[in-house]
């Protein structure tokens, strides 16, 4: 069974092909350069770019796999959360493609897609498990008691983890995306040299908060701490906050397995630190950690395998969509 | 030739073939209504999607999100069927509703009207514009004013077919 997945939730156009849960080809057309001069994503420009790029990208991905549109058994696209204008481009295109082919259309929740990218295809990961999603737009911790069910344990109260990396990277003049740039600089620094506080220390719940670290970074920079020490200590503070909260939740709920997904899952220190915890860990392949189309097709494939129905043609694009509602839209 | 035309640039959802047309007032509901409306419309006209030979989409001027829903849908449909897609100016398909000197206009932001002047005999021929005008200036232009009317679905299909025969392909979206 061959599925095409589309993600246009933010500033990247992602298209991927999946055959029986295996990624055949996937490509991402990045708009980073387009938005670089604005210090953030301009939704209107992002939408225009998706409209221009999406169809040629679908053609290129099909060609790279040696497939024709008629070989597709289903079409999937992200319906939310994300920027509504960009989401509508992918969603409308996918509906047109599915309708023309006479195949089912699946609207996929963006976070469920990230989780699907981190789940091994061989079914080795069985619930219950915890799922941490950390990217430029999200920092969420879920409990997954059974397949397809998500209980939100905690989320960031302000900035997303990746967003904090981006902001501190900009402060240090490192450019975008911030995560890899900070990690690079941090390798030459002392991760204990700058006394960053641990966010939300002593909290009973499982929330996150990163804006305090960002403010502290600005203060420490003013005081003349070397950038490499600042980068290393900041990275350590973010990683410690994520790992300790997950470990505490795992202990409290008696979970032994953790999926770590989203762009921040690519961070080497985070992976090293998680490896010390004794938890069984599941990371996405590095090229599927950030937004892409293959993960959308993978999530749709899982839904098909669970015997869940296709989405209605009337499915709307939604800027905010709790993952606990992901199952309500079928 | 079996052509399906789609226009989502105005508050209406407009569909057309060379023989039939449909205009639904949907305001901002283009995405939610489009796919189901296309299925119903094709069913009503006895056309299987795979029998289509070309897709035409109104390329505006229109609201950002509404316009793009139709364009993206048309692109996906054309890709699925391996058939050409081409854009038509939405105002031309509005002008096709009149005869003689016709001045179609669509309300834009800041109480302005996005308008163009057409001479419509057999088919509308652009005489001036499109340009943004104050409402007063718009109404002062000579001709029959067609303000905020949906484009004609049949005219979209016809004008699109003419463009395809002239060798044109693809869209040049025109955002308000």
């Amino acid at each position: 069974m061959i599925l095409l997945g589309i993600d246009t939730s933010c500033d990247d156009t992602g298209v991927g092909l999946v055959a029986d849960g295996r990624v055949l080809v996937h490509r991402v057309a990045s708009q980073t350069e387009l938005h670089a001069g604005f210090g953030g994503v301009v939704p209107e420009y992002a939408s225009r770019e998706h409209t221009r790029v999406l169809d040629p990208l679908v053609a290129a991905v099909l060609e790279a796999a040696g497939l024709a549109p008629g070989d597709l058994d289903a079409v999937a696209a992200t319906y939310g959360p994300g920027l509504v204008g960009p989401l509508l481009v992918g969603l409308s295109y996918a509906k047109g493609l599915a309708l023309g082919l006479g195949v089912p259309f699946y609207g996929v929740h963006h976070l469920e897609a990230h989780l699907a990218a981190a789940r091994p295809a061989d079914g080795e990961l069985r619930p219950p498990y915890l799922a941490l999603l950390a990217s430029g737009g999200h920092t969420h911790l879920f409990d997954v008691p059974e397949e397809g069910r998500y209980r939100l344990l905690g989320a960031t109260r302000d900035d997303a983890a990746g967003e904090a990396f981006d902001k501190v990277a900009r402060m240090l003049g490192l450019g975008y995306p911030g995560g890899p740039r900070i990690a690079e600089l941090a390798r030459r620094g002392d991760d204990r040299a700058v006394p960053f506080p641990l966010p939300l220390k002593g909290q009973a719940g499982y929330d996150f908060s990163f804006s305090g670290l960002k403010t502290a970074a600005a203060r420490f920079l003013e005081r003349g701490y070397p950038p490499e020490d600042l980068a290393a200590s900041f990275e350590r503070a973010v990683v410690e906050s994520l790992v300790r909260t997950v470990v505490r939740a795992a202990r409290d709920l008696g979970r032994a397995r953790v999926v770590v997904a989203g762009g921040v899952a690519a961070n080497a220190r985070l992976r090293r630190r998680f490896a010390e915890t004794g938890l069984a860990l599941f990371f996405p392949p590095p090229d599927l950690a950030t937004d892409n189309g293959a993960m959308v097709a993978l999530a749709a494939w899982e839904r098909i395998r669970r015997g869940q129905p296709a989405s209605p043609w009337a499915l709307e694009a939604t800027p905010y969509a709790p993952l606990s509602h992901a199952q309500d839209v079928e | 030739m079996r052509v399906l035309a789609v226009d989502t640039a105005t508050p209406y959802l407009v569909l057309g073939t060379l023989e039939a047309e449909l205009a639904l007032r949907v305001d901002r509901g283009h995405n939610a209504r489009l796919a189901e409306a296309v299925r119903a419309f094709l069913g009503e006209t006895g056309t299987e999607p795979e029998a289509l030979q070309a897709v035409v989409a109104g390329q505006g001027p229109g609201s950002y999100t509404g316009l793009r829903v139709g364009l993206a849908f048309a692109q996906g449909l054309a890709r699925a069927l391996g058939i050409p897609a081409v854009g038509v100016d939405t105002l031309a398909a509005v002008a096709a509703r009149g005869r003689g000197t016709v001045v179609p206009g669509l309300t834009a932001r800041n109480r302005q009207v996005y308008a163009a002047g057409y001479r419509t005999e057999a088919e509308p021929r652009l005489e001036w514009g499109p340009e943004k005008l104050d409402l007063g200036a718009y109404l002062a232009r000579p001709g029959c004013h067609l303000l905020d009317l949906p484009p004609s679905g049949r005219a979209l299909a016809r004008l699109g077919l003419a463009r395809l025969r002239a060798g044109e392909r693809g869209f040049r979206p025109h955002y308000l």
Side-chain angles (χ1 to χ4, degrees), chain A residues 100-265:
Chain A
L101 293 171
V103 300
F105 154 74
Y106 289 86
V108 169
H109 193 287
H110 187 69
L111 302 187
E112 185 163 41
H114 270 299
L115 288 182
R119 276 191 286 251
D122 54 13
E124 185 189 329
L125 175 64
R126 300 219 176 280
Y129 56 85
L130 295 183
L132 174 70
L133 279 158
S135 68
H138 314 277
T139 307
H140 289 80
L141 179 62
F142 295 95
D143 182 36
V144 187
E146 58 190 79
E147 256 191 280
R149 254 196 71 204
Y150 304 92
R151 193 160 69 85
L152 184 66
L153 296 176
T156 182
R157 296 181 183 176
D158 36 63
D159 292 348
E163 192 182 358
F165 272 110
D166 287 342
K167 286 176 175 173
V168 171
R170 203 180 313 150
M171 233 180 258
L172 295 171
L174 297 177
Y176 179 88
R181 305 287 178 95
I182 286 195
E184 172 76 34
L185 183 61
R187 276 194 282 167
R188 306 201 304 268
D190 177 354
D191 64 4
R192 313 237 171 195
V194 188
F196 278 99
L198 188 65
L200 304 181
K201 203 173 177 179
Q203 67 160 329
Y206 310 103
D207 279 347
F208 305 95
S209 169
F210 299 106
S211 74
L213 290 180
K214 176 192 67 190
T215 314
R219 212 172 53 234
F220 290 136
L221 187 64
E222 237 169 68
R223 284 197 212 152
Y225 281 99
E228 59 272 20
D229 288 351
L230 203 99
S233 302
F234 170 78
E235 187 187 39
R236 177 171 176 273
V238 174
V239 165
E240 283 305 314
S241 163
L242 291 169
V243 172
R244 288 186 197 193
T245 306
V246 169
V247 165
R248 194 157 48 80
R251 203 179 48 223
D252 294 352
L253 280 83
R255 303 289 187 242
R257 293 175 291 278
V258 181
V259 172
V260 184
V264 179

Side-chain angles (χ1 to χ4, degrees), chain A residues 21-156:
Chain A
R22 198 167 49 82
V23 179
L24 294 178
V25 181
H26 88 96
R27 300 252 173 99
V28 176
S30 170
Q31 300 182 9
T32 302
E33 302 227 335
L34 177 71
H35 303 282
F38 298 95
V41 177
V42 184
E44 174 52 27
Y45 292 166
S47 307
R48 286 185 193 191
E49 193 65 6
H50 288 307
T51 309
R52 207 174 61 75
V53 165
L54 177 56
D55 183 54
L57 195 60
V58 168
V61 164
L62 284 168
E63 201 194 322
L67 296 172
D71 295 323
L72 300 176
D73 296 300
V75 179
T78 307
Y79 73 88
L83 300 168
V84 172
L87 282 170
L88 276 174
V89 175
L91 198 57
S92 301
Y93 183 94
K95 287 180 184 178
L97 187 62
L99 190 145
L101 293 171
V103 300
F105 154 74
Y106 289 86
V108 169
H109 193 287
H110 187 69
L111 302 187
E112 185 163 41
H114 270 299
L115 288 182
R119 276 191 286 251
D122 54 13
E124 185 189 329
L125 175 64
R126 300 219 176 280
Y129 56 85
L130 295 183
L132 174 70
L133 279 158
S135 68
H138 314 277
T139 307
H140 289 80
L141 179 62
F142 295 95
D143 182 36
V144 187
E146 58 190 79
E147 256 191 280
R149 254 196 71 204
Y150 304 92
R151 193 160 69 85
L152 184 66
L153 296 176
T156 182

Side-chain angles (χ1 to χ4, degrees), chain B residues 6-10 57-63 67-68 71 87-94 106 114 118 130 151 156 171-176:
Chain B
V6 175
D7 188 295
T8 56
T10 73
Q59 56 191 7
S63 80
L67 177 54
R68 267 191 296 263
L71 294 181
V88 166
D89 292 331
T90 299
L91 286 174
V94 177
L106 297 166
Y114 209 93
Y118 285 87
L156 281 167
F171 309 121
R172 271 186 297 275
H174 214 91
Y175 299 108
L176 273 185

